[in-house]
Amino acid sequence: MECHHHIHGSHPGHGCKSHAGCIRLVPIFNHLEEEQMAKIGASVETLALQKGEILFRAGERDDTLYIIHTGKVRIYRLADSGKEQLVRILNPGDFTGELAVFQPGEIHENYAEALQDSTICRMKQKDLQAYLLAYPQIALKILTEITKRLEESEKQTARVAVENVESRIISFLASCVEQSGTNDTVIALPMSKKDLASYLGTTPETISRKFTNLEKQGLIEQLPNKKVKIPDLDELLLYADEATSAGGHH
């Protein structure tokens, strides 16, 4: 990318060079004709973030849709106590900032931080709204994606509210298998154990202990590079069901 990084909120004297690459990457746009994608790409700017750099903060006003082109970004919020709660991890092709697009002047409730060096494509609300009117199918794609997030968020709330930690982990692993779309018994965890602990409302130590316990029971096998082997998913789910009915410990 030819663009020097700058933090959200700063206003460099020149815009970054436009890139259409990320438009082809994103499910909300890549169903369009090549010519339409090129047109949308012309109004996209890219910025480079270094690992640990903040894209936006809670309390900031915004009117931008951010699309991850390369790298990973974590979205999290801070509780009053200062404790972080992970909301989601964004991978290439994912987007954030959709609220700002539909509700101009919206204030961010979350923080977005680069988990590794990343390039972000950004599009202003007025540009996106013009494309929504020109190509209504984009709106349907955005709606589909937001509906998925809402469903995941509801599952997440239910997980943390009613299940013990072991069941939360198993439920999460099962959803990873589901998302992989294959019956493969080896899944790659989409985040570190520290972030997984935050996402599941527990501590990294508890996550490590529970993983070790599940491994001892022969229900999972921990492999290098954040991979986990699940020999028998039904058996793992049955174990979670029994643990829940036995009223397992948090």
Side-chain angles (χ1 to χ4, degrees), residues 7-80:
I7 297 176
H8 171 72
S10 66
H11 297 282
H14 60 279
C16 300
K17 185 178 172 190
S18 291
H19 287 275
C22 63
I23 297 301
R24 294 185 184 86
L25 193 69
V26 194
I28 59 174
F29 295 125
N30 64 11
H31 53 91
L32 297 170
E33 301 292 326
E34 195 62 38
E35 193 183 316
Q36 295 169 336
M37 284 194 283
K39 189 178 172 186
I40 292 173
S43 58
V44 167
E45 286 185 333
T46 63
L47 65 147
L49 290 181
Q50 291 173 351
K51 181 181 177 178
E53 206 169 349
I54 299 290
L55 179 63
F56 57 74
R57 291 177 170 79
E60 288 182 342
R61 223 170 260 286
D62 206 355
D63 65 345
T64 309
L65 183 77
Y66 299 97
I67 300 161
I68 314 308
H69 190 193
T70 63
K72 274 180 193 285
V73 170
R74 71 186 187 112
I75 306 290
Y76 65 93
R77 57 181 53 198
L78 288 180
D80 293 341

Side-chain angles (χ1 to χ4, degrees), residues 17-194:
K17 185 178 172 190
S18 291
H19 287 275
C22 63
I23 297 301
R24 294 185 184 86
L25 193 69
V26 194
I28 59 174
F29 295 125
N30 64 11
H31 53 91
L32 297 170
E33 301 292 326
E34 195 62 38
E35 193 183 316
Q36 295 169 336
M37 284 194 283
K39 189 178 172 186
I40 292 173
S43 58
V44 167
E45 286 185 333
T46 63
L47 65 147
L49 290 181
Q50 291 173 351
K51 181 181 177 178
E53 206 169 349
I54 299 290
L55 179 63
F56 57 74
R57 291 177 170 79
E60 288 182 342
R61 223 170 260 286
D62 206 355
D63 65 345
T64 309
L65 183 77
Y66 299 97
I67 300 161
I68 314 308
H69 190 193
T70 63
K72 274 180 193 285
V73 170
R74 71 186 187 112
I75 306 290
Y76 65 93
R77 57 181 53 198
L78 288 180
D80 293 341
S81 63
K83 189 182 169 192
E84 279 184 18
Q85 169 67 48
L86 182 72
V87 177
R88 72 178 63 87
I89 303 258
L90 301 175
N91 294 299
D94 291 339
F95 62 87
T96 186
E98 63 281 356
L99 279 183
V101 170
F102 292 111
Q103 296 168 300
E106 185 69 13
I107 291 171
H108 285 293
E109 291 187 355
N110 301 326
Y111 294 79
E113 178 196 352
L115 273 177
Q116 54 196 56
D117 290 355
S118 305
T119 46
I120 313 295
C121 297
R122 58 183 187 177
M123 183 186 290
K124 288 293 177 192
Q125 181 244 347
K126 61 176 173 44
D127 292 324
L128 182 60
Q129 286 210 326
Y131 298 131
L132 290 176
L133 293 172
Y135 317 119
Q137 61 270 47
I138 298 174
L140 289 174
K141 293 279 182 182
I142 292 179
L143 197 55
T144 303
E145 182 56 38
I146 292 171
T147 305
K148 269 193 224 157
R149 284 185 191 178
L150 187 59
E151 191 183 357
E152 186 49 46
S153 180
E154 285 173 354
K155 272 190 203 164
Q156 176 60 8
T157 305
R159 258 183 218 144
V160 176
V162 301
E163 297 172 348
N164 59 52
V165 175
E166 215 153 49
S167 298
R168 284 180 222 166
I169 292 170
I170 292 169
S171 166
F172 179 79
L173 292 174
S175 71
C176 288
V177 172
E178 201 179 291
Q179 281 164 22
S180 72
T182 65
N183 293 326
D184 198 353
T185 54
V186 177
I187 53 162
L189 293 176
M191 59 187 87
S192 67
K193 286 195 179 153
K194 176 177 172 283

